[in-house]
Amino acid sequence: MKYAIILAGGKGRRLWPVSRRNLPKQFIDFFGYGKTLLQQTYDRMLKIMPKENILVVTHTAFEDILREQLPELSQKNLILEPINRNTAPATLMALRSDIIPAEGDVIIVPADQIVMNDDKFSVAINNATDYINCYDSVLTMGVKPTRPEPGYGYLQMGDLVPATPEHPTPTTHYVKSFTEKPDRDFARMFMDSGEFLWNTGIYMSKAYYISKQLITLMGGDKDMDYSMSPNLSIDMAILEKMPERVVMECSFGWADIGAWHGIYEAFANADVDNVLVNKKSLLRAENATHNVISLPDGKLAVISGLEGYIVAEKDNVLLICQKEDSSAMVRRLLGKIETEDGMEDFV
């Protein structure tokens, strides 16, 4: 039986000012699709399993927002973090619930991603299920890089996992190395080598196996106070610290909505130099290329003479900055604003 853990506690700081302290990116309909990133993820899981098998983990501060967006989610399926301790402790807290049995097939998925083809995603989940029922391991889903994106993690494929009677045509590789957010030159080298896949952050494992591994990494005490848990991401826990991890190449049309530059890279193409994020807004551009524009519903932006910029407006904040190195700049600028008196409404 399949079970899902949706991780929905992130702060989304690199997508400020659209992603804000009180309403981070997973709770926003970024693209005007009619559903937030969280709702899209939940619906994707509903195509694979009943709602009783879906758990959502978030911070207590977001409980009301989450209940509004997922009213069908029962109380026992909502896992609330008392404090922020990153995604590895959050995952373990969900695994400790009474809902997931030891023999359950667990899918761990972030709430802030785009998947273009739900049918291919379901096929990938079924293939991964076949694998984890043959081996005690954690399987991560990887996708072939289409650009030298420095904002993603890169998995180097090692040897193929040997065939068995239960798994006669292996399509999974041992993970040889993992590099999180390399600089662009290394990302280009990884892509050109053909040995690397992007890490989607979507994992599958038997509940008993990943629980045991995470308990060991958390300090070996299954009853440890959550506030004492290390600040450890599920990506680092699995891909750098666990003994048995493999990657399966997938092709379901994936994008991580992590930063403005990443959104541009994911959705720009040869015919559209400017990316208008919210399809319920309007853009008229003249002598302006390679920009990413995010506006409230119904707004019109008229831009001229801009190249390689981010223009993002939300409520009381307008951000205009160069696209290159924007992630570090936004985080740095937001950090300064947060320390200023009287600026609480802008973060």
Side-chain angles (χ1 to χ4, degrees), residues 81 84-96 209-238 241-242:
E81 301 174 89
N84 289 117
R85 273 295 181 266
N86 218 318
T87 48
T91 301
L92 182 57
M93 185 164 60
L95 287 164
R96 286 170 168 166
Y209 180 80
I210 192 168
S211 295
K212 178 182 177 182
Q213 296 298 323
L214 286 175
I215 288 170
T216 299
L217 291 175
M218 295 296 123
D221 183 358
K222 65 182 180 63
D223 298 317
M224 176 185 289
D225 186 328
Y226 192 78
S227 65
M228 301 300 292
S229 298
N231 187 348
L232 180 65
S233 74
I234 191 66
D235 303 296
M236 293 295 112
I238 291 172
K241 298 180 181 296
M242 290 191 184

Side-chain angles (χ1 to χ4, degrees), residues 25-171:
K25 60 181 178 177
Q26 61 269 27
F27 303 114
I28 297 172
D29 177 12
F30 256 93
F31 303 98
Y33 292 161
K35 291 191 175 183
T36 67
L37 295 174
L38 170 64
Q39 290 170 326
Q40 292 176 54
T41 304
Y42 185 82
D43 288 350
R44 194 173 303 122
M45 294 299 104
L46 275 179
K47 295 179 180 179
I48 298 171
M49 67 194 72
K51 65 180 182 180
E52 293 78 15
N53 291 14
I54 303 174
L55 290 82
V56 181
V57 188
T58 194
H59 191 272
T60 53
F62 304 136
E63 179 178 4
D64 291 343
I65 300 171
L66 197 143
R67 290 198 175 283
E68 180 182 346
Q69 294 195 3
L70 298 179
E72 65 272 40
L73 189 74
S74 71
Q75 176 65 41
K76 66 179 181 178
N77 289 62
L78 175 57
I79 310 297
L80 295 172
E81 301 174 89
I83 57 174
N84 289 117
R85 273 295 181 266
N86 218 318
T87 48
T91 301
L92 182 57
M93 185 164 60
L95 287 164
R96 286 170 168 166
S97 73
D98 295 333
I99 294 175
I100 304 178
E103 291 292 332
D105 302 325
V106 179
I107 306 163
I108 302 163
V109 58
D112 54 359
Q113 299 183 341
I114 291 292
V115 169
M116 305 295 186
N117 192 316
D118 284 353
D119 290 338
K120 287 186 176 180
F121 179 80
S122 296
V123 170
I125 292 295
N126 288 332
N127 290 340
T129 302
D130 290 342
Y131 176 83
I132 65 170
N133 279 284
C134 294
Y135 300 93
D136 278 348
S137 182
V138 180
L139 180 146
T140 180
M141 295 186 179
V143 296
K144 188 174 181 178
T146 58
R147 61 185 187 275
E149 171 58 55
Y152 291 170
Y154 287 73
L155 298 156
Q156 185 178 18
M157 294 179 287
D159 294 335
L160 272 171
V161 177
T164 67
E166 297 82 11
H167 197 61
T169 54
T171 57

Side-chain angles (χ1 to χ4, degrees), residues 30-32 275-284 293-301 311 313:
F30 256 93
F31 303 98
V275 172
L276 180 63
V277 176
N278 184 356
K279 304 308 178 186
K280 295 180 181 178
S281 57
L282 300 169
L283 172 65
R284 297 295 181 267
I293 314 295
S294 180
L295 302 171
D297 293 356
K299 282 240 178 177
L300 166 66
V311 179
E313 180 186 353

Side-chain angles (χ1 to χ4, degrees), residues 183-347:
D183 63 36
R184 192 172 294 276
D185 289 340
F186 274 104
R188 183 175 289 106
M189 182 176 65
F190 291 162
M191 184 182 74
D192 292 343
S193 74
E195 298 179 12
F196 289 80
L197 300 173
W198 281 337
N199 177 39
T200 64
I202 302 170
Y203 303 100
M204 281 201 71
S205 181
K206 283 293 187 182
Y208 68 80
Y209 180 80
I210 192 168
S211 295
K212 178 182 177 182
Q213 296 298 323
L214 286 175
I215 288 170
T216 299
L217 291 175
M218 295 296 123
D221 183 358
K222 65 182 180 63
D223 298 317
M224 176 185 289
D225 186 328
Y226 192 78
S227 65
M228 301 300 292
S229 298
N231 187 348
L232 180 65
S233 74
I234 191 66
D235 303 296
M236 293 295 112
I238 291 172
L239 298 173
E240 289 196 349
K241 298 180 181 296
M242 290 191 184
E244 190 70 36
R245 65 268 197 268
V246 299
V247 59
M248 179 179 70
E249 183 174 352
C250 305
S251 58
F252 40 70
W254 172 88
D256 178 26
I257 309 304
W260 290 117
H261 186 278
I263 288 177
Y264 176 84
E265 295 284 359
F267 291 95
N269 59 55
D271 298 319
V272 183
D273 283 329
N274 297 299
V275 172
L276 180 63
V277 176
N278 184 356
K279 304 308 178 186
K280 295 180 181 178
S281 57
L282 300 169
L283 172 65
R284 297 295 181 267
E286 183 177 273
N287 299 322
T289 59
H290 304 106
N291 302 295
V292 54
I293 314 295
S294 180
L295 302 171
D297 293 356
K299 282 240 178 177
L300 166 66
V302 180
I303 61 173
S304 177
L306 286 184
E307 181 175 357
Y309 270 75
I310 295 165
V311 179
E313 180 186 353
K314 177 69 173 181
D315 297 332
N316 54 356
V317 178
L318 171 65
L319 170 71
I320 303 174
C321 68
Q322 291 183 323
K323 191 165 80 273
E324 289 297 323
D325 301 320
S326 58
S327 292
M329 188 283 300
V330 169
R331 290 176 69 94
R332 183 174 64 253
L333 182 62
L334 182 55
K336 290 181 179 179
I337 292 173
E338 286 177 323
T339 64
E340 297 180 28
D341 293 337
M343 300 294 283
E344 295 84 1
D345 293 340
F346 299 102
V347 298

